[in-house]
Amino acid sequence: MLAKVISGANVGLESIGVTVEVDIASQGLPSFTLVGLADRAVEESRERVRSALKNSGADFPAKRITVNLAPADLPKEGPAFDLPIAVGLLLASGQLEKDLSDTLLVGELSLDGSLRSTHGVLSFTLLTKSLGLKRIFVPKENGVEAAVVEGIEVFAFDNLLQVFKFLIGSEEVFPQPLTDLNLINHVIFEYDFKDIKGQQQARRALEIAAAGGHNVIMKGPPGAGKTLLARAFPSILPSMSKEEALEVTKIYSVSGNLSSDQPIITSRPFRSPHHTASYVGMVGGGNNIKPGEVSLAHRGVLFLDELPEFPRQVLEALRQPVEDRKVTISRASGSLSFPSQFTLLCALNPCPCGFLGDPKKNCCCMPGQISRYKKKVSGPLLDRIDIHLDVPAVEVEKLTGQETAEDSQAIKTRVEKARNIQQERFKGSGILTNSEMSNAQIKTWCRITQDALDLLKMAISQMNLSARGYHRVLKLSRTIADLASSENILAEHVAEALTYRAREEN
């Protein structure tokens, strides 16, 4: 007897429909054959399904069993096919009679028949909706994640036996209630801007960066507060919209980074990889291509502390994701693209010892050491960074003073106001912030006064700005104008933007 069950396979961040065909032949020696370009994890599902069926009280047919995962030319990976194969066997053997043409099934089985958490369930639920199906069966732990998608009935089960009883009508299971994305979340941040002493210029620069999604590089001596500034940065970022939360959750779900206590990502990611991170770890890849740090930081922050300590290959790999807001990974079997719309924060010392140019401490580095240290970060990468910030050591008076600095919530209010202006400006264009503007959009939206244009022309010749640098100054000026609620870019906005450009080439 032949039975068909609908499931799916994750390819990158998307899911593609897979039909699980189970045939039990009336003749032939007992065997269990699985075909359809399956990887090792899928191949091993034969033993998991066999044990799960027996331990759930079902009969495992001692006949010639063939399972086909169609389309056969699509690589299948992961244990998500366990549940559809098991249900297909129950249907094909006559132990279950039920029409499942409107249902998609995914889930990994334990040997005792219980269902384990499965990666990529959000993508599977979106696939269910795109295929026009009515419901999806998922493990209990993935119920909240799947119920984010409207218009689909999500049934979350503890084990295979519960699925069987529900299908024959002996046990009632209610659909998972729609997950309420309370995106006006009250996240308690570990670091707040009110705890930062001094550094007024740095605070202002990070406010601009948060408002427009601009990249920042901070240079200063050890202990000046670069890392503290970076870690406090997420506290002034605007709350994520529902669409952004779904984007980020999908990435974390596919990569296996969702936890049971946080099934939905509602706060902006903050990724801070160690400087020993590999090329694949940063941009993604591997035998089964997975997202890297640049994609896990999507809609959030990627913080690279001690920037020159990262391998040159890893830093150069950041050029395309920073510029294109996506990363494309190509292999012999094909290529996949992952989004990488993040704010890049970098921190470095001016020299190996960290005290080059310090008025109070002498630098002990040789000129050759300083030169080699600076050359570790290439000019093209630095040219892609909008804000170059010097972070000096904090003065004793400010460090020991009792003056209370402005807290993150007050700064966040101004940032959200500027973001709302940009959201209205770019409505329907597919972008959210000034930093994402194309050259054509810059011409449309960066209306500049004649005084500001004259100042910018002078700066181009005196500061040797590249074409990319020119456009980045315009984007930064547009954000500064938005913070000031100015419709046009004025000379004062351009002047402030120019103060954040690098004064020397590394």
Side-chain angles (χ1 to χ4, degrees):
M1 184 176 176
L2 177 66
K4 294 184 179 181
V5 179
I6 303 172
S7 188
N10 280 328
V11 180
L13 298 183
E14 306 301 325
S15 289
I16 297 177
V18 172
T19 302
V20 179
E21 301 174 334
V22 181
D23 178 66
I24 301 179
S26 58
Q27 296 179 341
L29 295 174
S31 63
F32 192 162
T33 305
L34 197 153
V35 296
L37 208 57
D39 75 346
R40 184 66 179 272
V42 181
E43 287 279 357
E44 292 173 347
S45 68
R46 293 178 297 182
E47 303 308 318
R48 291 193 296 271
V49 168
R50 188 194 307 273
S51 297
L53 284 172
K54 290 181 177 180
N55 290 323
S56 298
D59 293 329
F60 186 84
K63 296 182 180 180
R64 181 179 177 84
I65 302 170
T66 304
V67 176
N68 178 42
L69 306 178
D73 61 341
L74 176 70
K76 323 295 190 309
E77 61 181 59
F81 296 102
D82 290 3
L83 179 60
I85 291 174
V87 173
L89 279 169
L90 292 173
L91 291 168
S93 62
Q95 300 176 70
L96 177 65
E97 293 183 8
K98 188 70 175 181
D99 180 15
L100 294 177
S101 59
D102 63 348
T103 307
L104 189 143
L105 293 81
V106 292
E108 176 186 350
L109 286 171
S110 295
L111 297 183
D112 62 356
S114 59
L115 283 164
R116 299 170 58 87
S117 177
T118 303
H119 299 166
V121 165
L122 178 56
S123 296
F124 289 130
T125 312
L126 293 171
L127 171 66
T128 305
K129 189 172 185 177
S130 66
L131 292 177
L133 305 180
K134 294 181 180 179
R135 59 185 184 176
I136 182 173
F137 291 0
V138 300
K140 192 73 171 181
E141 291 184 35
N142 298 115
V144 175
E145 176 189 345
V148 172
V149 182
E150 299 179 4
I152 297 294
E153 285 188 325
V154 176
F155 290 90
F157 298 95
D158 290 312
N159 51 59
L160 179 60
L161 181 59
Q162 188 181 23
V163 176
F164 178 79
K165 288 182 178 180
F166 170 73
L167 291 176
I168 64 174
S170 66
E171 182 175 331
E172 190 172 13
V173 177
F174 295 99
Q176 185 82 17
L178 187 67
T179 302
D180 180 21
L181 288 180
N182 185 21
L183 297 182
I184 308 176
N185 44 44
H186 302 285
V187 180
I188 300 177
F189 294 97
E190 185 178 357
Y191 302 94
D192 194 286
F193 268 66
K194 68 181 180 182
D195 302 322
I196 300 172
K197 301 291 186 179
Q199 306 297 2
Q200 293 304 316
Q201 185 185 18
R203 294 165 62 94
R204 168 65 177 172
L206 291 182
E207 179 180 338
I208 296 170
H214 302 285
N215 302 321
V216 182
I217 186 168
M218 297 178 285
K219 182 168 66 175
K226 303 184 294 297
T227 302
L228 178 59
L229 284 163
R231 294 197 176 277
F233 184 71
S235 66
I236 65 172
L237 291 174
S239 301
M240 285 201 295
S241 65
K242 180 178 179 180
E243 292 73 19
E244 289 177 311
L246 288 177
E247 286 179 30
V248 176
T249 301
K250 187 190 292 187
I251 295 171
Y252 276 68
S253 178
V254 168
S255 60
N257 284 286
L258 283 182
S259 59
S260 57
D261 58 340
Q262 190 183 22
I264 305 295
I265 304 295
T266 57
S267 58
R268 295 190 181 275
F270 182 86
R271 305 293 298 186
S272 180
H274 191 260
H275 58 74
T276 55
S278 67
Y279 173 90
V280 171
M282 186 65 72
V283 300
N287 293 330
N288 298 325
I289 300 177
K290 297 294 183 184
E293 291 290 341
V294 296
S295 297
L296 294 173
H298 182 61
R299 298 297 178 190
V301 180
L302 178 64
F303 175 48
L304 304 182
D305 202 2
E306 305 296 344
L307 185 68
E309 301 302 327
F310 283 82
R312 180 67 177 251
Q313 181 191 26
V314 172
L315 293 182
E316 295 306 302
L318 290 175
R319 290 195 202 177
Q320 189 227 352
V322 169
E323 188 75 14
D324 299 340
R325 310 292 177 175
K326 66 178 182 179
V327 57
T328 301
I329 302 169
S330 298
R331 297 291 183 268
S333 58
S335 63
L336 292 175
S337 292
F338 297 109
S340 59
Q341 173 63 50
F342 58 87
T343 298
L344 177 64
L345 294 186
C346 305
L348 73 160
N349 298 323
C351 66
C353 78
F355 297 107
L356 179 66
D358 192 290
K360 297 181 180 179
K361 293 186 178 180
N362 293 326
C363 174
C364 60
C365 301
M366 300 295 290
Q369 291 178 301
I370 298 173
S371 177
R372 286 191 297 272
Y373 184 79
K374 289 183 176 181
K375 287 180 180 179
K376 289 182 178 181
V377 184
S378 68
L381 177 60
L382 292 175
D383 199 39
R384 287 168 165 81
I385 297 177
D386 303 339
I387 299 176
H388 294 252
L389 189 61
D390 287 323
V391 183
V394 184
E395 298 175 2
V396 177
E397 292 77 11
K398 292 182 178 179
L399 187 62
T400 58
Q402 299 300 316
E403 183 179 355
T404 303
E406 188 178 31
D407 65 6
S408 293
Q409 187 57 47
I411 301 174
K412 182 178 180 178
T413 301
R414 294 195 296 269
V415 168
E416 288 183 329
K417 183 179 178 181
R419 284 285 185 106
N420 290 336
I421 294 173
Q422 295 167 56
Q423 187 176 359
E424 186 66 28
R425 175 186 300 140
F426 302 127
K427 183 180 295 183
S429 64
I431 65 174
L432 300 176
T433 61
N434 289 330
S435 65
E436 302 172 58
M437 283 192 290
S438 64
N439 292 349
Q441 290 167 328
I442 289 174
K443 292 180 181 179
T444 302
W445 298 112
C446 292
R447 293 188 290 271
I448 186 170
T449 63
Q450 187 59 46
D451 289 344
L453 183 59
D454 292 341
L455 177 60
L456 190 53
K457 287 179 180 178
M458 186 187 309
I460 291 173
S461 59
Q462 293 185 359
M463 299 176 66
N464 296 322
L465 290 179
S466 64
R468 182 188 290 113
Y470 163 72
H471 288 122
R472 289 189 176 276
V473 169
L474 276 177
K475 293 178 186 179
L476 196 59
S477 301
R478 180 66 269 173
T479 300
I480 296 171
D482 289 342
L483 283 169
S485 300
S486 174
E487 185 175 348
N488 294 323
I489 298 174
L490 307 179
E492 61 195 66
H493 304 144
V494 173
E496 184 176 2
L498 289 171
T499 62
Y500 298 123
R501 292 304 299 175
R503 285 293 181 271
E504 60 180 5
E505 296 294 333
N506 283 359

